[in-house]
């Protein structure tokens, strides 16, 4: 496989080789993590807060760079890529936030349309400033997340689960090869959480799109993921297909006591992009 | 100036007003066309200011500015235009562009940048950063992300600010005529000069009614545009038949749009009123441009003359009129301090009388409130002109005029503060058997004190700006030297005056914000 050439067809789409990340404050957030993620897989990352889930996710789209090891995404060596190449990768990688990141005052349709900005040349303002075929596409994506009827409602009139679905429609609008979701259901009620994960699974299966999702609810991960990766203190301690996995195997991930005395408590690991 | 002189002034003004009555409307058509010109000036001036402020605010907001240098430059322009009063810009522009509305429009346009630019930039800075991060993560460029996610959050504040400034500028443009910059101020000035007092009163009352009407109208428009009624969420409240029918219609439109998958937003009543507002504005703008004779469009050579005069302002010449500069500036400061203090003494009882939680009789506070609303409608310089006409030139009429304006304005601020006072300590003090007056000093004043102090500082700030222009109508202070230096073409001195005003106003603003910061921390 040739490196540093962008290849949308690459499979596995993500390859992490022996990556470690030590933050400037000395915290070892990731410790020799290696993962290969094929196309079309819904992978759930579980672990305590501070175990390195979010840090791992941010290595995939280059928001963080590893201290050692390499990250390849779609054939591009993200861990060494220049900013211009990174933007190219990010255009093809959707990111779903815990807090949605919607513009409250704008309509759902306008929020979804803003996902297409990476393909457009000029700044846009308002629904009518986007080309008609993009508006049609935005309607299709809203339909897909079940919110086409709310297209002209303001985003802040929706429930949390609906807002997250609009945010997912916005990510789909950028026509990504892969979706990264950072605790997408952490601020949602159980029913909405189920709907959002069902949607992510549907996207992964129907579009053959890779979805990497950090979660802290084990039951949800067991219920929806193809594959579950557990992190503890920056190390991969579990990496198995979700089929046949039971609650007990998974709970091991959450064991707090570690004989070596490595930091396993809820120490906060910085996840902001300024540390990259 | 003596206190006897100060209070003697009021009887002179009473005598003058007696001579004005009854108003004589024989010039009515002239008054009306001047009033319309005043309105168009305000509209055009505000438009210019908004057009300049919009790009400026992106440079002056921390989260959108390209770099530190642009940030400092934009903030600098905003601070400077705010510190120099519009009347001073007008006085200079009248020399540069000749007598007429153009000077006034440019003066309003420049001075308003100070407030509009600052409010716009603050609105951008207050926008939630999350949506922008989300935009950037989809691969949007910096400016795409700003337009798609920061700007929509700031638009309501931007529209509100512009309308509010239009309101202020209608008031301001009514007095620009005093220095020859067009509008009704010109008619008032010449009527007073020719001792035609009844006609002056006629003009004053017409513009006064127009100002009140515009204020009422613009607050309605602001409320309806910025009502933040969610565009399409349909909540049928127990309101009038008509509004239920309207929400019903909105819902139908919405359902139609959804079933048709309309690619164009449905025409809800909200959108409709927005579209109508925009068209009304465009039509008014077209009429204004057509009505007002602005030679700026016909010849560009015009700008050369103007530029030559503006260029002569630098370097400022502090030596020629050194002693006048010092006297004038200290006189302005004295006027500001005295009128703020005296105004405060009048404002406290007036404020008490117009707070509904302190005065028991509804008649009293409603009466005081409405009287104050009416008096606040009169532009301060018009009051100053009246006092100068009654008492002759000098700082005393200027001080009296500012005192009155302070009293009208402060009493509203004070009343609002008193009404926000927490009622439970008051009850506790009443329960100890205290009289109403004891309770007032024991619980209301201590609670209101921090807010009062910052209001006094704000008032001082406002009055200092005003006192620098009083001299233009003969009310004492540095404005007299300013106008004089323009008349005799000593633009170096003009530059020095403008510079000094800028420094003093800016210094007072810094002191004020420092004190307010200390107060905030203390609480």
């Amino acid at each position: 496989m040739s490196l540093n050439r962008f290849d949308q067809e690459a499979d596995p789409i993500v390859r992490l080789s022996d990556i470690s990340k030590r933050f400037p404050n000395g915290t070892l957030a990731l410790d020799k993590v290696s993962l290969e993620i094929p196309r079309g897989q819904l992978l759930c990352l579980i672990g305590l807060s501070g175990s390195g889930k979010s840090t791992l996710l941010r290595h995939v789209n280059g928001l963080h760079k590893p201290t050692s090891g390499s990250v390849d995404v779609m054939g591009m060596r993200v861990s060494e890529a220049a900013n211009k190449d990174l933007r190219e990768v990010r255009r093809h990688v959707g990111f779903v936030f815990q807090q949605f990141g919607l513009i409250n005052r704008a309509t759902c349709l306008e929020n979804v349309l803003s996902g297409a900005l990476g393909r457009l040349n000029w700044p846009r303002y308002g629904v009518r400033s986007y080309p008609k075929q993009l508006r049609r596409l935005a309607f299709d994506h809203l339909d897909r997340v079940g919110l086409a009827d709310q297209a002209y409602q303001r985003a802040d009139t929706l429930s949390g689960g609906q807002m997250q679905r609009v945010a997912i429609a916005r990510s789909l609008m950028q026509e990504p090869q892969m979706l990264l979701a950072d605790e997408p259901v952490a601020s949602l009620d159980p029913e909405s959480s189920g709907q959002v994960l069902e949607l992510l699974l549907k996207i992964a299966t129907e579009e053959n799109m890779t979805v990497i999702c950090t979660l802290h609810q084990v039951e949800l991960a067991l219920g929806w993921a193809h594959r579950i990766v557990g992190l503890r203190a920056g190390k991969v301690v579990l990496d198995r297909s979700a089929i046949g996995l039971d609650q007990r195997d998974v709970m091991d991930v959450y064991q707090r006591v570690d004989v070596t005395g490595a930091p396993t408590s809820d120490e906060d690991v910085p996840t902001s992009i300024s540390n990259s | 100036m003596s206190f006897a002189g100060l209070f003697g002034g009021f009887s002179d003004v009473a005598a003058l007003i007696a001579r004005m009555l009854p108003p004589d409307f024989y010039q009515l058509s002239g008054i009306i066309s001047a009033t319309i010109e005043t309105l168009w000036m305000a509209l055009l001036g505000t438009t210019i200011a908004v057009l300049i402020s919009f790009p400026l605010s992106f440079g002056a907001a921390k989260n959108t500015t390209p770099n530190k240098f642009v940030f400092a430059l934009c903030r600098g322009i905003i601070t400077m235009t705010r510190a120099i009063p519009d009347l001073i810009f007008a006085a200079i522009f009248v020399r540069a562009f000749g007598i007429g509305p153009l000077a006034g429009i440019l003066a309003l346009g420049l001075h308003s940048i100070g407030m509009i630019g600052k409010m716009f930039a603050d609105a951008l800075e207050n926008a939630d950063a999350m949506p922008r991060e989300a935009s950037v993560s989809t691969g949007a460029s910096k400016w795409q992300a700003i337009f798609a996610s920061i700007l929509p959050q700031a638009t309501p504040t931007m529209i509100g600010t512009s309308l509010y400034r239009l309101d202020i500028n209608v008031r301001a443009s009514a007095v620009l005529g005093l220095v020859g910059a067009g509008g009704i101020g010109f008619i008032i000035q010449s009527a007073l000069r020719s001792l035609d007092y009844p006609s002056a009163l006629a003009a004053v009352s017409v513009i006064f009614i127009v100002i009140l009407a515009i204020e009422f109208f613009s607050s309605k428009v602001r409320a309806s545009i910025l009502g933040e009624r969610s565009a399409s969420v349909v909540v049928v409240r127990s309101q009038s038949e008509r509004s239920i029918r309207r929400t019903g219609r909105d819902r139908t439109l919405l359902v139609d749009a959804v079933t048709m998958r309309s690619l164009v937003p449905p025409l809800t009543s909200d959108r409709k009123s927005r579209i109508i507002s925009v068209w009304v504005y465009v039509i008014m703008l077209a009429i204004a441009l057509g009505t007002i004779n602005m030679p700026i469009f016909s010849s560009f050579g015009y700008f050369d003359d103007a530029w030559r005069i503006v260029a002569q302002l630098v370097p400022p010449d502090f030596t020629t009129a050194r002693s006048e500069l010092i006297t004038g500036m200290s006189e302005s400061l004295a006027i500001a301090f005295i009128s703020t203090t005296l105004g405060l003494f009048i404002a406290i009882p007036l404020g008490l009388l117009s707070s509904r939680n302190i005065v028991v009789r509804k008649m009293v506070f409603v009466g005081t409130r409405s009287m104050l609303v009416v008096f606040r409608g009169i532009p301060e310089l018009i009051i100053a002109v009246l006092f100068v006409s009654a008492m002759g030139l000098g700082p005393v009429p200027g001080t009296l005029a500012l005192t009155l304006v302070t009293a009208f304005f402060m009493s509203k601020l004070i009343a609002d503060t008193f009404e926000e006072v927490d009622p439970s300590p008051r009850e506790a003090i009443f329960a100890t058997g205290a009289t109403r007056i004891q309770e007032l000093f024991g619980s209301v004043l201590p609670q209101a004190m921090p807010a009062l102090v910052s209001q006094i500082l704000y008032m001082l700030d406002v009055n200092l700006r005003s006192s620098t222009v009083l001299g233009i109508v003969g009310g004492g202070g540095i404005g007299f030297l300013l106008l004089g230096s323009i008349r005799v073409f000593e633009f170096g001195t003009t530059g020095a005056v403008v510079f000094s005003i800028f420094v003093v106003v800016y210094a007072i603003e810094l002191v004020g914000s420092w004190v307010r910061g200390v107060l905030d921390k203390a609480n």
Side-chain angles (χ1 to χ4, degrees):
Chain A
M1 186 174 71
S2 65
L3 292 178
N4 278 334
R5 187 190 300 146
F6 190 68
D7 173 16
Q8 295 193 24
E9 308 296 315
D11 203 4
I13 189 165
V14 177
R15 185 189 305 248
L16 308 175
S17 325
D18 247 2
I19 60 166
S20 295
K21 174 70 175 176
R22 190 178 284 283
F23 282 109
N25 65 5
T27 321
L28 185 64
L30 293 176
D31 190 1
K32 296 210 162 81
V33 173
S34 293
L35 277 179
E36 279 192 0
I37 305 170
R39 286 193 168 263
Q41 189 170 64
L42 172 55
L43 184 150
C44 280
L45 278 172
I46 59 169
L48 290 165
S49 44
S51 59
K53 310 188 293 285
S54 291
T55 314
L56 182 65
L57 207 60
R58 282 168 168 74
H59 275 81
V60 176
N61 70 349
L63 286 173
H64 285 334
K65 294 207 170 166
T67 318
S68 65
S70 62
V71 181
D72 299 300
V73 176
M74 288 178 266
M76 174 88 70
R77 176 126 314 165
V78 167
S79 46
E80 285 154 28
N83 275 336
K84 191 173 139 280
D85 294 331
L86 269 182
R87 274 207 300 277
E88 183 69 19
V89 168
R90 283 181 199 154
R91 257 188 61 186
H92 292 90
V93 178
F95 206 105
V96 177
F97 299 83
Q98 181 187 337
Q99 292 303 331
F100 326 131
L102 297 182
I103 304 148
N104 287 335
R105 290 192 60 253
T107 59
C108 297
L109 190 66
E110 190 175 346
N111 271 295
V112 173
L113 280 165
S114 74
L117 284 171
R119 277 176 279 155
L120 296 168
N121 276 329
W122 296 97
R124 308 281 159 157
Y125 185 85
V127 168
R128 294 165 77 112
S129 64
Y130 291 87
K132 276 221 161 118
Q133 100 256 13
L134 282 181
R135 290 185 230 165
R136 228 168 270 135
L137 192 62
F139 257 110
D140 292 344
H141 288 310
L142 270 175
D143 205 11
R144 185 132 182 227
V145 301
L147 291 171
D149 289 352
Q150 278 79 6
Y152 288 110
Q153 278 197 17
R154 277 171 54 141
D156 57 4
T157 62
L158 303 180
S159 70
Q162 289 174 321
M163 281 168 116
Q164 191 59 291
R165 275 143 62 197
V166 171
I168 292 173
R170 177 181 58 194
S171 301
L172 294 178
M173 196 66 195
Q174 70 184 90
E175 295 179 337
Q177 302 290 317
M178 176 166 48
L179 270 186
L180 306 179
D182 190 15
E183 299 282 4
V185 298
S187 37
L188 302 183
D189 62 79
E191 199 191 329
S192 312
S193 303
Q195 286 173 348
V196 166
L197 280 164
E198 184 181 0
L199 180 63
L200 290 176
L201 179 65
K202 205 171 108 192
I203 291 166
T205 332
E206 285 174 7
E207 300 275 305
N208 195 25
M209 194 189 292
T210 315
V211 179
I212 310 177
C213 172
T214 65
L215 277 182
H216 60 247
Q217 299 100 319
V218 175
E219 326 77 67
L220 286 175
L222 284 171
W224 300 104
H226 292 127
R227 175 181 174 192
I228 295 182
V229 170
L231 285 177
R232 186 166 69 218
K235 279 198 173 81
V236 176
V237 292
L238 173 85
D239 183 359
R240 281 174 56 184
S241 161
I243 302 162
L245 204 61
D246 71 23
Q247 193 97 10
R248 221 168 341 121
D249 304 322
V250 178
M251 285 324 280
D252 271 356
V253 174
Y254 288 91
Q255 249 178 9
R256 280 161 158 265
V257 191
D258 191 327
V259 276
T260 61
T264 52
S265 62
D266 308 55
E267 260 181 79
D268 271 331
V269 170
T271 50
S272 72
I273 50 173
S274 59
N275 286 313
S276 63
Chain B
M1 62 184 100
S2 68
F3 275 90
L6 279 180
F7 290 103
F10 285 111
S11 62
D12 291 342
V13 174
L16 176 72
I17 290 175
R19 277 163 66 198
M20 287 179 152
L21 290 169
D24 186 344
F25 289 92
Y26 74 93
Q27 276 194 332
L28 192 61
S29 66
I31 291 175
I32 287 175
S33 65
T35 305
I36 292 172
E37 185 175 72
T38 303
L39 294 181
W40 292 155
M41 280 165 62
L43 187 74
L44 291 172
T46 313
T47 304
I48 291 176
V50 169
L51 289 181
I52 300 176
S53 300
F54 185 73
L56 208 60
S57 64
F58 285 94
K62 278 197 199 84
N63 52 346
T64 55
T65 191
N67 56 49
K68 274 190 184 148
F69 174 74
V70 174
F71 178 77
L73 183 76
C74 293
R75 284 270 161 178
I77 295 174
I78 287 172
T79 311
M80 222 172 85
T81 48
R82 194 175 50 228
I84 301 172
D86 42 15
L87 213 65
I88 291 185
F89 277 125
I92 297 170
F93 288 156
V94 164
R95 239 330 156 206
F97 296 100
I99 288 181
L102 178 63
I105 292 166
L106 292 180
L108 290 177
L110 269 190
H111 177 66
S112 309
I113 292 172
M115 173 198 158
I116 298 180
K118 183 173 187 305
M119 303 285 269
F120 278 20
D122 287 353
L124 291 172
E125 282 183 358
N126 288 337
D128 178 16
M130 267 297 287
R132 183 194 188 171
E133 245 176 78
S135 269
V136 170
S137 81
T138 67
S141 71
K142 180 187 172 175
W143 287 101
Q144 283 181 326
I146 289 172
F147 267 74
S149 56
I150 303 273
L151 185 59
Q153 298 185 59
T155 15
T157 316
M158 288 180 164
I159 295 172
T161 304
S162 311
L163 280 171
Y164 181 51
R165 188 69 215 190
L166 180 66
D167 219 25
I168 297 177
N169 280 349
V170 169
R171 234 169 251 261
S173 64
V175 298
L176 289 177
L178 300 181
V179 295
I184 190 129
F186 200 63
I187 290 195
I188 297 173
Q189 180 86 314
S190 49
L192 286 174
R193 281 219 180 109
S194 55
L195 306 183
D196 185 359
Y197 295 123
S199 175
L201 183 62
V204 169
S205 41
V206 167
I207 190 67
F208 170 68
I209 289 165
V210 168
I211 285 176
L212 283 187
I214 295 269
E215 194 172 288
F216 176 77
F217 185 69
S218 104
S219 72
K220 289 274 171 216
V221 173
R222 253 182 295 164
S224 83
I225 290 187
L226 306 173
E228 288 293 313
R229 275 174 296 144
S230 316
S232 46
V233 180
V234 185
V235 188
V236 181
R237 279 156 298 186
S238 52
Q239 274 185 357
S240 64
E241 268 286 296
R242 204 170 136 262
S243 76
I244 291 177
R245 225 181 304 137
R246 205 174 59 189
T247 34
R249 240 175 66 71
D250 283 359
R251 184 189 280 158
T252 322
L253 279 171
L254 203 68
V255 170
D256 284 352
V258 168
T259 44
M260 283 163 47
R261 288 291 171 95
S262 160
L263 297 178
V264 183
L267 202 63
T268 54
S269 59
D270 247 44
R271 264 179 65 78
K272 211 186 284 172
S273 69
R274 241 170 273 173
I275 293 170
I276 291 173
S277 311
V278 169
W279 274 107
V280 168
Y281 168 74
V282 169
I283 290 167
M284 293 207 319
L285 195 65
I287 298 176
L289 285 170
T291 320
I292 288 193
N293 174 32
M294 290 209 292
I296 201 163
F297 293 117
S298 51
S299 89
F300 276 99
Y302 214 75
F303 252 122
D304 291 347
D305 294 346
W307 181 245
R308 213 169 308 134
I309 286 173
V310 174
Q312 283 176 46
L313 296 175
V314 277
D317 171 11
F318 289 96
T319 45
T320 316
R322 188 148 170 269
S323 65
E324 287 100 323
L325 193 64
I326 294 171
T327 335
M329 212 62 224
S330 29
E331 199 169 82
S332 280
L333 276 168
I335 293 174
F337 278 104
I338 294 173
S339 59
T340 310
T341 317
L342 289 180
L344 186 68
F345 280 121
I346 308 176
I348 288 179
L350 278 179
L352 285 172
L353 284 180
S354 48
S355 329
R356 76 188 68 219
N357 58 343
I358 291 188
V359 175
V360 194
R361 282 171 208 280
K362 196 175 172 197
M363 280 261 296
V364 177
F365 78 74
V366 170
T368 330
R369 281 234 153 179
S370 21
M371 183 193 83
L372 289 174
V373 167
V374 169
F375 280 126
R376 271 199 306 275
I378 313 173
E380 57 189 17
L381 273 180
I382 300 275
I383 299 182
V385 169
L386 285 182
F387 276 79
V388 171
S389 305
M391 301 165 63
L393 300 178
V396 177
T399 311
L400 281 181
L402 269 197
T403 302
L404 275 190
V405 173
T406 310
F408 298 148
F409 195 71
M410 268 304 270
S411 49
K412 179 184 188 302
L413 295 181
I414 290 177
D416 289 348
T417 316
F418 282 160
E419 288 186 354
E420 277 164 20
V421 158
D422 177 11
S424 56
R426 302 187 56 193
E427 267 178 48
I429 289 198
F430 273 130
T432 64
T435 63
R436 297 191 61 81
I437 302 288
Q438 285 174 321
E439 182 271 327
L440 190 63
F441 281 87
S443 77
V444 176
L445 277 182
Q447 288 192 66
M449 210 37 114
L452 281 182
V453 171
S454 80
Q455 283 160 3
I456 292 168
L457 282 170
Y458 171 68
M459 211 57 230
L460 189 63
D461 191 2
V462 171
N463 279 346
L464 185 65
R465 281 157 216 250
S466 309
S467 69
T468 57
V469 299
L470 279 177
I472 290 178
V473 295
I478 189 87
F480 188 65
L481 176 63
L482 179 95
L483 205 60
S485 69
I486 295 175
R487 286 220 173 105
V488 298
F489 298 98
E490 278 181 17
F491 293 111
T493 304
T494 313
V497 173
V498 170
F499 183 77
S500 322
I501 291 177
F502 170 69
V503 168
V504 172
V505 167
Y506 192 49
I508 291 274
E509 198 176 293
L510 284 184
V511 171
S513 67
W514 176 73
V515 173
R516 271 189 289 267
V518 170
L519 276 178
D520 280 351
K521 242 178 255 165
N523 287 302

